[in-house]
């Protein structure tokens, strides 16, 4: 063991899992100490490096989060809501920083994460990139500057394998817009339009989702007013930026007091 923080990656065989493992292994400021997969997965018992088609890394893929978290200082988790809730409780018991990139969490899931955050650091964000989090701050400020004569629409595009909509990033942007206007997103969110829906309600924040091909992630925030439009945009072309942001969050969390944080905190972008 070294003095660098030990990181466990959940969902090791997934697209983000592999990217996270590559990012941690190539880093000089942390070490990979665990790789988790669901019970019964073909990779269980294999060296993670060999399973990924490369050199052995000395870390065996496991389905035992308790043992993995016991030797970790941080867990980076881009999995599924049910798994993330379970991991949060176990990471809190191990006092490991839990970085969550999982989307599609329900209000009940979030309540359970809040309980876990009483005992350990949780950093949760729908998007880990610097650019997106800057976009969140810009969205809040523009929404605060414009009145409800400007309709707000969040438009997002992702690959055809993404299972949830709107994306976590789109919801972050919607929440920022609502906060800028002093509203609760749950009261003004307009997510479904099909058939004869009637005219748009003044002050609503709309969401549109596109799914296709291998789109990494594109997000527009449209402010459409009388005679003019303002469009704020972020385009991601490489998933490595999400992995780098997640690792940055895991390192930032070392030494922080228990609680819930987001990438705005990590990046020092708070107002």
């Amino acid at each position: 063991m070294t003095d660098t923080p030990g990181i466990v990656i959940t969902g090791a065989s997934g697209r983000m899992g592999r990217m996270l493992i590559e990012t941690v292994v190539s880093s000089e400021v942390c070490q990979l100490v665990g790789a988790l997969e669901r019970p019964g997965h073909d990779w269980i018992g294999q060296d993670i490096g060999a399973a990924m088609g490369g050199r052995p890394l000395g870390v065996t893929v496991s389905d035992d989060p308790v043992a993995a978290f016991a030797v970790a200082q941080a867990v980076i988790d881009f999995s599924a809501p049910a798994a993330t809730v379970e991991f949060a409780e176990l990471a809190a018991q191990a006092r490991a920083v839990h970085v969550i990139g999982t989307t599609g969490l329900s209000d009940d899931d979030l309540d359970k994460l809040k309980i876990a955050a009483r005992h350990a650091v949780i950093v949760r964000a729908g998007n880990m990139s610097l650019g997106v989090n800057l976009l969140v701050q810009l969205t809040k400020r523009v929404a605060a500057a414009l009145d409800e004569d400007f309709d707000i629409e969040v438009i997002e595009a992702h690959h055809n394998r993404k299972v949830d909509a709107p994306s976590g990033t789109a919801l972050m942007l919607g929440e920022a817009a609502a906060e800028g206007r002093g509203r609760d997103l749950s009261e003004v969110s307009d997510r479904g339009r099909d058939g004869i829906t009637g005219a748009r309600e003044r002050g609503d924040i709309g969401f549109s989702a596109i799914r296709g091909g291998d789109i990494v992630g594109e997000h527009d925030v449209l402010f459409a007013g009388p005679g003019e439009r303002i469009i704020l945009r972020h385009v991601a072309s490489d998933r490595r930026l999400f992995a780098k942001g997640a690792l940055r969050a895991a390192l930032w969390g070392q030494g922080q007091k228990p609680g819930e944080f987001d990438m705005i905190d990590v990046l020092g972008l708070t107002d």
Side-chain angles (χ1 to χ4, degrees):
M1 297 292 289
T2 70
D3 293 332
T4 57
I7 312 290
V8 171
I9 304 299
T10 71
S13 71
R15 195 179 333 208
M16 272 306 302
R18 297 183 192 214
M19 188 70 68
L20 287 161
I21 288 166
E22 292 172 358
T23 301
V24 171
V25 169
S26 65
S27 173
E28 297 180 353
V29 295
C30 63
Q31 58 179 325
L32 182 69
V33 298
L36 289 175
E37 260 304 340
R38 64 186 183 279
H41 194 279
D42 290 345
W43 284 17
I44 301 297
Q46 296 187 49
D47 182 278
I48 183 59
M52 290 172 57
R55 63 180 177 84
L57 296 174
V59 174
T60 301
V61 181
S62 169
D63 60 2
D64 184 355
V66 174
F69 295 175
V71 296
Q73 283 69 56
V75 177
I76 303 180
D77 175 22
F78 285 68
S79 58
T84 289
V85 169
E86 177 187 355
F87 293 149
E89 180 180 352
L90 297 176
Q93 291 173 6
R95 301 299 188 264
V97 174
H98 189 188
V99 178
I100 300 173
T102 304
T103 57
L105 294 159
S106 68
D107 289 342
D108 183 58
D109 295 332
L110 296 178
D111 288 341
K112 292 174 181 176
L113 296 185
K114 190 178 295 293
I115 293 171
R118 296 174 186 169
H119 307 287
V121 173
I122 290 180
V123 181
R124 183 179 65 85
N127 194 298
M128 301 285 178
S129 83
L130 171 61
V132 160
N133 284 279
L134 286 171
L135 179 61
V136 167
Q137 295 297 83
L138 288 171
T139 297
K140 186 190 305 182
R141 294 185 181 185
V142 174
L146 301 175
D147 62 24
E148 291 186 352
D149 283 344
F150 282 80
D151 296 319
I152 302 176
E153 190 82 9
V154 181
I155 306 153
E156 53 102 342
H158 284 87
H159 55 87
N160 57 19
R161 306 290 291 176
K162 187 168 180 60
V163 298
D164 59 311
S167 69
T169 303
L171 292 173
M172 284 173 58
L173 294 167
E175 288 167 357
E179 184 177 345
R181 284 187 168 173
R183 301 294 300 275
D184 187 322
L185 180 60
S186 65
E187 298 174 352
V188 294
S189 177
D190 180 5
R191 300 194 191 182
R193 302 189 188 108
D194 184 20
I196 308 300
T197 60
R200 182 182 181 122
E201 291 290 332
R202 180 179 170 85
D204 276 2
I205 296 174
F207 292 86
S208 300
I210 297 166
R211 296 289 177 267
D214 60 356
I215 301 171
V216 173
E218 300 177 4
H219 294 85
D220 292 341
V221 184
L222 168 67
F223 297 84
E228 61 182 332
R229 288 173 290 169
I230 301 167
I231 301 172
L232 305 178
R233 177 166 232 227
H234 180 270
V235 176
S237 57
D238 189 340
R239 281 185 180 78
R240 287 182 181 85
L241 68 93
F242 306 133
K244 289 177 180 177
L247 179 55
R248 183 169 178 172
L251 297 173
W252 176 88
Q254 304 302 311
Q256 299 289 337
K257 293 182 179 180
E260 290 185 282
F261 304 92
D262 57 25
M263 286 301 291
I264 301 295
D265 299 306
V266 173
L267 298 169
L269 298 175
T270 51
D271 294 331

